[in-house]
Amino acid sequence: GAVVSQHPSRVICKSGTSVKIECRSLDFQATTMFWYRQFPKQSLMLMATSNEGSKATYEQGVEKDKFLINHASLTLSTLTVTSAHPEDSSFYICSASAELAGGIDTQYFGPGTRLTVL
Amino acid sequence: SQQGEEDPQALSIQEGENATMNCSYKTSINNLQWYRQNSGRGLVHLILIRSNEREKHSGRLRVTLDTSKKSSSLLITASRAADTASYFCATAGGSEKLVFGKGTKLTVNP
């Protein structure tokens, strides 16, 4: 259980275009999903917290107009990188919050999306 | 912001040896979690230890937590080549957010 998928797994686009990444919880409902960014050989940096039916909460320094997040249902959140530039090239990972036995929430991660902007 | 600091940054051992990775953090926590990431892939949840626990086991994994020192360790016993991956600690405070450490890249040589 607790499987999270991401689509696409890899995308190459031209500078100036927009790219949409989907994150789905396949076998559970997630009121909260998270979007992370990971540069090569570095750790995950939280970009935003996505709550179903409400606006996302962005971390300091993350441009909300550039990284549009929509959490339209309990199983789907999307991240749109608008007007992408080469510096946006990165590995984007989503996670969905689920409750473990014992009542503690933890996050289950998708396989990631490798974005390359030419 | 980054809270956890893992050490070592990289660890290379032979199959069958034990691997120990450490994580330090700065603020108070509700729990600490360890994740594994194979190259270019997503993260896999390994184990969670609550702030009131000192040690936890899961198969070949042993995690300790010392809240007075704000540190945790992950021990993998009898390592296998398939354990080669990056390992991250992540702390959870009062919210659902996780703050990840920088990770330890483990290489297990056959």
Side-chain angles (χ1 to χ4, degrees):
Chain A
V3 177
V4 177
S5 70
Q6 267 183 256
H7 178 80
S9 59
R10 188 178 293 267
V11 58
I12 300 172
C13 69
K14 292 182 179 179
S15 188
T17 60
S18 294
V19 175
K20 180 186 281 189
I21 303 170
E22 292 186 350
C23 177
R24 293 181 186 272
S25 56
L26 297 185
D27 50 1
F28 66 103
Q29 293 184 329
T31 55
T32 306
M33 292 184 173
F34 301 86
W35 287 96
Y36 295 85
R37 182 173 182 173
Q38 185 180 33
F39 289 106
K41 299 183 180 180
Q42 293 191 25
S43 187
L44 280 72
M45 296 299 293
L46 179 65
M47 298 174 66
T49 302
S50 169
N51 296 295
E52 188 266 338
S54 64
K55 290 183 178 180
T57 303
Y58 290 81
E59 294 298 301
Q60 193 171 10
V62 178
E63 300 175 59
K64 61 181 180 181
D65 294 331
K66 179 155 185 72
F67 299 100
L68 300 179
I69 291 172
N70 185 5
H71 194 154
S73 75
L74 288 172
T75 59
L76 173 64
S77 176
T78 60
L79 168 69
T80 302
V81 183
T82 62
S83 186
H85 288 95
E87 58 265 29
D88 298 324
S89 298
S90 190
F91 193 54
Y92 292 88
I93 308 178
C94 72
S95 70
S97 184
E99 191 174 295
L100 289 175
I104 295 180
D105 287 334
T106 192
Q107 293 180 29
Y108 293 90
F109 285 80
T113 297
R114 173 77 57 195
L115 171 63
T116 303
V117 185
L118 303 177
Chain B
S1 61
Q2 209 97 44
Q3 163 152 252
E5 295 275 342
E6 278 103 328
D7 77 89
Q9 291 186 359
L11 179 62
S12 181
I13 60 174
Q14 295 299 123
E15 231 176 1
E17 294 180 342
N18 296 340
T20 300
M21 290 159 271
N22 302 297
C23 166
S24 61
Y25 57 92
K26 296 175 184 174
T27 62
S28 61
I29 61 171
N30 285 345
N31 64 72
L32 185 146
Q33 304 178 37
W34 284 90
Y35 287 83
R36 165 198 167 120
Q37 183 182 35
N38 285 72
S39 181
R41 307 293 294 274
L43 273 70
V44 174
H45 183 261
L46 295 176
I47 196 166
L48 179 152
I49 187 165
R50 300 180 195 218
S51 60
N52 62 353
E53 296 176 311
R54 291 297 167 258
E55 188 171 311
K56 205 160 183 182
H57 297 254
S58 176
R60 293 184 295 114
L61 304 180
R62 172 178 168 249
V63 168
T64 63
L65 179 64
D66 187 334
T67 52
S68 66
K69 295 181 180 178
K70 291 188 169 56
S71 67
S72 173
S73 68
L74 171 67
L75 168 68
I76 303 175
T77 60
S79 63
R80 306 166 182 167
D83 294 328
T84 295
S86 290
Y87 292 82
F88 295 92
C89 70
T91 54
S95 71
E96 293 176 286
K97 289 200 292 188
L98 291 176
V99 180
F100 282 84
K102 294 181 179 179
T104 293
K105 184 176 172 63
L106 173 67
T107 302
V108 182
N109 301 299

